[in-house]
Amino acid sequence: GAVVSQHPSRVICKSGTSVKIECRSLDFQATTMFWYRQFPKQSLMLMATSNEGSKATYEQGVEKDKFLINHASLTLSTLTVTSAHPEDSSFYICSAFRDTSYNEQFFGPGTRLTVL
Amino acid sequence: AQKVTQAQTEISVVEKEDVTLDCVYETRDTTYYLFWYKQPPSGELVFLIRRNSFDEQNEISGRYSWNFQKSTSSFNFTITASQVVDSAVYFCALSSGNTGKLIFGQGTTLQVKP
């Protein structure tokens, strides 16, 4: 299957700082990428849809000014958690959408964010 | 509204037992896709299967099998002769239309004891 990478895999930061997470589609161009969040022992929840060359679409309840998404190229989407607080500590996973006719998408390995 | 329900929060079996993980979904769309993912302790999601709404044929892959029944809106997953390495959290997910957005069930934690 296709490969999607995320960087960093793990990050610890102080409250109030901003953290950037990168999601890269390594072997195909993805016009659409998704960002999910998973709190401990919970399910994955879609945060936003990242579209190359346009603004991201956020799910209800997700603060767009806090979670900045940039999809500057067909292989890279970034999620920036601004002014992070302990409640933002979570596992963030991206996916790259390859084929709309077959709904084929590939997940990155995830980024574990801990805010102290 | 779209929804995925995995009623079993945790299942514990002894190695070599068969186990079925239930998944019930809700959607008003006629075109949709159903998925199963495995999430080991590392956190990375492992894709197991994708099935579209027009293909009700059951599928078998090694020790894994899936039963898709539109009449009951269910997409159940069976592991035959379970092994310790099958221990993980399993998620059922739904994607309606061609948006690609996935709605995940709550997940079922499977523990296979030796």
Side-chain angles (χ1 to χ4, degrees), chain A residues 84-105:
Chain A
H85 288 96
E87 57 266 30
D88 298 322
S89 297
S90 187
F91 192 55
Y92 293 87
I93 310 176
C94 71
S95 74
F97 192 43
R98 180 160 81 174
D99 188 335
T100 57
S101 63
Y102 196 46
N103 210 307
E104 189 175 37
Q105 60 183 286

